[in-house]
Amino acid sequence: MLSRILERIIVREFLYPAITSSPVALDFSNQFAFRPTGSTTATLVAILHSVTDLLSTNPYVVVMALDFSKAFDTLRHATLLKKMALLDIPDAVFNWLVNFFLERKHCTRYGGEISTILDINASIIQGSAVGPISYVINTGDLTVCTSSNRIHMYADDTYIIVPACNIQSRQAELDHVAKWAHANNLKLNREKSAEIVITSKRQRQDCNPPELPDIRRTTSLTILGVSFTNHLSISDHITNVITKCAQSLYALKVLRSHGLSEDNLAVVFKSVVLAKILYASPAWWGFANSSDKQRLEAFLRRCTRLHFYRQEAPTVTELVEDLEEQLFTNVLANDHHLLSYILPERNNRMYNLRPRRHELILATKGDARNFFTRQLFKDVY
């Protein structure tokens, strides 16, 4: 118990501050996992912002979703500790981390027999507080080799965004990631990796760059649980969510028939069904058309008729707006938020005006589907 408490102190008081003010050799700005302000929602917001931003000056954008085989099980401790040595942490903390990873052993008991004890010199320590942040530190030197390309990561889920002007750099990016993976005792699984060519619906130009020989191309890609087509439509995602939630409704009916109270049913509905509907919604809500939103509202009305959701409870639109307001407020209030780099500069006014939602400079309006564009220009006019 004392060891687990000490792990959390090390992570909270030393490792988190160290990666916030990362050294030149390491860059954690594009890694959104296992961090205080990181989440799948923040990752999706950043990816969609990059895609739409590059689409404004390019006819198409290629998103490569890369997969590493057993990334958490093969990470080499020696390589990880070299990167930890670059962090601005006290020597005593670094020595504790070295001691934490060294001299770990493993054996297997089966059929009454015990195998030979072997040393463990790789893998993240499963179930530990240090384990997740260790993988974040290990990815600190994973970057793109072409400066105008962009990379976003959520743990081992890695997405490289290549605009049309750099289309010839895709193979170099793949080889660069494969070389980085080999140096860290990881393996880039090209068979499970994929790429998608995203274009605007208004783009009439033929956008079909040559395919890479060792990575498949798809017209629909699931990014952190949210499906997008090559035109950034999320209709398929809405269909999948409603289908899964409908299956959960059947389970709720079974629970009701076995005597579960209405209050407890409401708790289960909120935890299971409503959570699926609202998952990462601030990121994709702007990309949903009116038909998609109407289908979600109709499903929630169906839940109301079945008495799983209260009649006077908020609609899907109201729930999403609340989540968007919370995220936007958190980014505004925290200069170290992982999404704060997207915000424009603050307008330092020398005189008093009527209260505004924010004091940020409103430059040229970007893609209206983006989370930050919608929030920055909300209630402006």
Side-chain angles (χ1 to χ4, degrees):
M1 182 64 70
L2 292 176
S3 176
R4 297 297 297 273
I5 294 173
L6 182 57
E7 284 182 52
R8 284 169 169 76
I9 293 174
I10 293 292
V11 171
R12 184 180 64 250
E13 301 297 331
F14 297 101
L15 293 183
Y16 278 151
I19 65 175
T20 300
S21 55
S22 57
V24 177
L26 301 175
D27 181 13
F28 304 104
S29 61
N30 294 314
Q31 175 60 267
F32 290 83
F34 312 127
R35 304 183 64 178
T37 61
S39 64
T40 53
T41 301
T43 312
L44 283 164
V45 168
I47 291 173
L48 292 171
H49 175 81
S50 292
V51 169
T52 53
D53 183 41
L54 292 174
L55 274 178
S56 64
T57 55
N58 291 270
Y60 62 88
V61 170
V62 175
V63 178
M64 296 191 293
L66 306 183
D67 179 80
F68 296 101
S69 299
K70 299 180 179 180
F72 284 78
D73 297 330
T74 60
L75 180 65
R76 185 185 294 112
H77 293 164
T79 308
L80 170 64
L81 290 172
K82 288 181 181 179
K83 296 176 185 178
M84 285 184 169
L86 298 175
L87 298 177
D88 184 17
I89 55 178
D91 292 343
V93 173
F94 176 73
N95 292 336
W96 183 91
L97 289 167
V98 172
N99 184 265
F100 178 83
F101 282 100
L102 293 184
E103 297 184 3
R104 290 187 173 269
K105 303 179 183 297
H106 171 80
C107 65
T108 302
R109 181 194 294 271
Y110 179 76
E113 300 290 332
I114 299 178
S115 68
T116 304
I117 298 177
L118 296 176
D119 292 331
I120 299 176
N121 57 13
S123 81
I124 293 297
I125 310 303
Q126 300 291 335
S128 68
V130 175
I133 191 65
S134 297
Y135 190 85
V136 171
I137 294 172
N138 186 69
T139 60
D141 59 345
L142 177 55
T143 59
V144 290
C145 57
T146 304
S147 59
S148 51
N149 295 341
R150 304 185 188 183
I151 184 171
H152 298 288
M153 294 171 281
Y154 187 85
D156 60 330
D157 291 326
T158 304
Y159 303 92
I160 296 180
I161 304 170
V162 181
C165 60
N166 293 336
I167 197 62
Q168 301 301 326
S169 67
R170 288 177 299 156
Q171 188 62 55
E173 294 291 357
L174 281 177
D175 294 340
H176 174 71
V177 173
K179 182 179 179 181
W180 174 88
H182 179 73
N184 290 271
N185 201 38
L186 304 177
K187 181 182 179 182
L188 175 62
N189 191 338
R190 303 192 184 219
E191 293 182 358
K192 289 188 177 181
S193 300
E195 72 170 4
I196 184 172
V197 181
I198 297 178
T199 62
S200 171
K201 288 185 177 180
R202 293 186 291 270
Q203 180 58 247
R204 298 182 179 180
Q205 180 181 344
D206 182 23
C207 301
N208 189 27
E211 296 187 27
L212 296 175
D214 49 0
I215 183 172
R216 64 185 175 89
R217 179 171 295 177
T218 181
T219 58
S220 178
L221 184 66
T222 299
I223 303 176
L224 299 176
V226 180
S227 300
F228 295 90
T229 68
N230 54 350
H231 294 303
L232 291 180
S233 168
I234 63 158
S235 295
D236 291 344
H237 173 71
I238 301 298
T239 300
N240 293 335
V241 167
I242 292 177
T243 300
K244 292 178 181 179
C245 289
Q247 296 170 351
S248 299
L249 290 185
Y250 174 76
L252 286 170
K253 292 178 183 178
V254 173
L255 290 175
R256 174 182 285 162
S257 66
H258 283 75
L260 191 66
S261 67
E262 293 295 325
D263 290 341
N264 289 331
L265 280 172
V267 172
V268 175
F269 174 83
K270 182 178 180 180
S271 304
V272 177
V273 178
L274 209 56
K276 288 179 182 177
I277 294 175
L278 299 177
Y279 169 74
S281 54
W284 56 256
W285 186 252
F287 296 85
N289 57 38
S290 58
S291 177
D292 295 331
K293 296 177 181 179
Q294 288 172 7
R295 284 194 293 157
L296 289 173
E297 299 289 5
F299 179 80
L300 203 59
R301 288 195 296 269
R302 175 187 170 191
C303 297
T304 301
R305 292 194 297 270
L306 293 173
H307 303 289
F308 294 133
Y309 194 64
R310 300 191 313 275
Q311 184 74 35
E312 67 280 3
T315 63
V316 176
T317 301
E318 292 170 340
L319 291 170
V320 173
E321 288 179 349
D322 288 342
L323 292 175
E324 290 182 332
E325 185 66 27
Q326 292 175 21
L327 178 57
F328 186 65
T329 302
N330 290 338
V331 177
L332 280 178
N334 186 359
D335 292 336
H336 296 294
H337 197 286
L338 289 173
L339 293 176
S340 61
Y341 75 96
I342 301 178
L343 292 176
E345 296 181 357
R346 296 184 181 274
N347 193 344
N348 297 320
R349 302 180 185 277
M350 303 300 295
Y351 42 85
N352 294 325
L353 295 175
R354 60 180 175 82
R356 295 175 178 266
R357 189 162 178 262
H358 60 79
E359 293 297 333
L360 301 174
I361 298 174
L362 294 177
T364 303
K365 189 173 182 179
D367 194 314
R369 299 173 296 177
N370 272 333
F371 168 75
F372 279 106
T373 301
R374 290 184 287 112
Q375 297 304 307
L376 288 171
F377 287 87
K378 184 178 180 181
D379 301 329
V380 170
Y381 302 109

